[in-house]
C-alpha cells in the first residue's frame, strides 16, 4: 500500500463513483481504477461493489475507509506540523457556502484567510443547503455553512445567526408596515424557490402547522430573478431583509414583517460527525465565526 492508493480509494468510496473521483483528483479514470484494483489485489479482498450506478463499499472496504481517513488525517497533521516549524499552518480547506451567505461572507472571509493562513489553500463552493450537506457527508467538503439543516447524527451543527423572513412586495404609494400574519400568506400570490430550497421548506412546514398552504404563483430559483418578478408585479416574495437591502435596487421593494408566528431562518456551521479536523480546518472554523460576528452583529445567536 502507498498513500496515493489510499487517497484514491478514499475519494472513490466517499463519492461513490470512479468518474467523479477522477475529476476531483484530476487523474484519468483508467489509472484510478488500476490503482484501486492493485490495492484490492494486495489486500486480497474486494473493497468496492461495482455496478452501473457507481460503487459502494464492501464490509472490508468500510473497515479500510475508516483506517484511510485516520492515516490521511495524520499525514495532513504531519505536513501542518512541519509547516509550523517555519511559523505557519499549511494544508487545504474546502468550504461550502449557501448563496445568500456567500454574498455577505466570501470577500471578508477570504481576506482574513489570506492574512492569517498564508501557507494554506482555500477552496469555496456555492450551492443550496441540501447540496452542501450532501457534499459534506460525502467528503467533498470539510466545512459548510447551511440554512436550517435537519438534525442528523452525521452532522455537528453550531448555530451562528438567525434572520427573520419578511414578505417582500413592490414599493407602492402608501406602504403598510403592519406585520402580516403567516396565515394571510395563503391568500397572497407568491414567487418562491423550488424545493428543496430552505426558505420554501420552512414556509411550507410552518404554514402546515397552522393548517394552511402558501399560494404559490411562480417557482423561481435565484433571489435576483425573484426580486425582478416582484418588481414587475408577478407576486410577492418571502426573503430576509438582508437579501433585499443587498439587491441591485433595494428602493424598488417594500418589506413587511411576518408574525403569528415569525419565521426565523438560521445559519449553521456544519462539519461531518466523527471526521477529525486538521489544525488548519480548526483555524478556519474560528475565522468563520469571527467573520460572521462582524457581518451579522445584530443577529447572532448563542451556540449550544
Amino acid at each position: 500500500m502507498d498513500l496515493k492508493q489510499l487517497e484514491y480509494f478514499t475519494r472513490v468510496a466517499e463519492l461513490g463513483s470512479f468518474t467523479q473521483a477522477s475529476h476531483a483528483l484530476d487523474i484519468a479514470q483508467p489509472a484510478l481504477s488500476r490503482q484501486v484494483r492493485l490495492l484490492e489485489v494486495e489486500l486480497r479482498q474486494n473493497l468496492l461493489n461495482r455496478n452501473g450506478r457507481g460503487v459502494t463499499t464492501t464490509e472490508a472496504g468500510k473497515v479500510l475507509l475508516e483506517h484511510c481517513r485516520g492515516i490521511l488525517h495524520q499525514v495532513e497533521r504531519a505536513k501542518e506540523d512541519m509547516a509550523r516549524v517555519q511559523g505557519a499552518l499549511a494544508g487545504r480547506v474546502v468550504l461550502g457556502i449557501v448563496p445568500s451567505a456567500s454574498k455577505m461572507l466570501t470577500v471578508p472571509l477570504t481576506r482574513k484567510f489570506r492574512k492569517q493562513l498564508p501557507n494554506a489553500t482555500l477552496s469555496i463552493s456555492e450551492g443550496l443547503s441540501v447540496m452542501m450537506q450532501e457534499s459534506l457527508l460525502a467528503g467533498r467538503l470539510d466545512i459548510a455553512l447551511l440554512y436550517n439543516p435537519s438534525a442528523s447524527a452525521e452532522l455537528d451543527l453550531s448555530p451562528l445567526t438567525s434572520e427573520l423572513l419578511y414578505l417582500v412586495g413592490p414599493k407602492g404609494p402608501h406602504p403598510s408596515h403592519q406585520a402580516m400574519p403567516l396565515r394571510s400568506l395563503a391568500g397572497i400570490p407568491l414567487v418562491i424557490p423550488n424545493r428543496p430550497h430552505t426558505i420554501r421548506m420552512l414556509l411550507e412546514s410552518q404554514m402546515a402547522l397552522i393548517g394552511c398552504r402558501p399560494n404559490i404563483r411562480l417557482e423561481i430559483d435565484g433571489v435576483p430573478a425573484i426580486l425582478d418578478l416582484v418588481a414587475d408585479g408577478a407576486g410577492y416574495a418571502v426573503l430576509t431583509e438582508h437579501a433585499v437591502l443587498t439587491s441591485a435596487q433595494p428602493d424598488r421593494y417594500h418589506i413587511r414583517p411576518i408574525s403569528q408566528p415569525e419565521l426565523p431562518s438560521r445559519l449553521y456551521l456544519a462539519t461531518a460527525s466523527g471526521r477529525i479536523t486538521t489544525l488548519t480546518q480548526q483555524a478556519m472554523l474560528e475565522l468563520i465565526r469571527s467573520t460572521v460576528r462582524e457581518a451579522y452583529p445584530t443577529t447572532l445567536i448563542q451556540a449550544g
Side-chain angles (χ1 to χ4, degrees), residues 14-190:
E14 289 182 335
L15 295 179
S17 166
F18 277 95
T19 301
Q20 292 186 39
S22 69
H23 291 314
L25 294 165
D26 194 23
I27 180 177
Q29 187 171 332
L32 176 61
S33 299
R34 183 169 59 254
Q35 289 301 317
V36 173
R37 185 56 190 156
L38 287 173
L39 184 60
E40 290 179 312
V41 170
E42 181 174 352
L43 295 175
R44 299 178 182 177
Q45 296 192 70
N46 289 327
L47 303 173
L48 299 169
N49 293 314
R50 296 158 173 84
N51 55 60
R53 298 182 302 275
V55 299
T56 58
T57 51
T58 63
E59 287 303 312
K62 291 175 183 177
V63 172
L64 181 63
L65 181 59
E66 291 305 308
H67 282 291
C68 286
R69 285 171 171 162
I71 292 167
L72 295 173
H73 172 74
Q74 289 301 319
V75 171
E76 286 299 315
R77 287 294 298 269
K79 291 178 181 178
E80 289 182 340
D81 287 343
M82 296 305 295
R84 281 201 298 164
V85 173
Q86 297 178 321
L89 288 175
R92 182 169 182 259
V93 180
V94 185
L95 172 66
I97 310 182
V98 289
S100 53
S102 177
K103 191 172 184 180
M104 193 81 166
L105 299 174
T106 296
V107 172
L109 182 59
T110 302
R111 189 182 298 126
K112 283 188 175 186
F113 183 90
R114 292 168 61 193
K115 181 179 180 181
Q116 299 186 33
L117 299 169
N119 289 1
T121 303
L122 175 62
S123 175
I124 296 179
S125 298
E126 187 176 300
L128 298 180
S129 289
V130 172
M131 296 166 51
M132 294 293 99
Q133 183 170 329
E134 290 175 354
S135 294
L136 184 63
L137 295 177
R140 294 188 290 269
L141 298 175
D142 300 314
I143 304 167
L145 291 173
L146 311 173
Y147 274 113
N148 309 314
S150 301
S152 169
E154 298 177 295
L155 290 178
D156 288 329
L157 298 170
S158 175
L160 294 174
T161 72
S162 178
E163 296 181 272
L164 292 178
L165 295 178
Y166 289 77
L167 182 68
V168 182
K171 180 159 285 187
H174 303 291
S176 171
H177 298 282
Q178 185 176 358
M180 175 71 70
L182 180 61
R183 184 178 297 276
S184 299
L185 269 63
I188 296 174
L190 297 177

Side-chain angles (χ1 to χ4, degrees), residues 103 220-230 239 243 247-248 252-253:
K103 191 172 184 180
I220 306 292
D221 288 330
V223 171
I226 288 174
L227 288 173
D228 285 343
L229 288 166
V230 169
L239 297 168
S247 65
R252 300 172 70 190
Y253 309 101

Side-chain angles (χ1 to χ4, degrees), residues 31 61 110 171 194 219 246:
T110 302
K171 180 159 285 187
N194 289 286
E219 297 174 301
T246 58

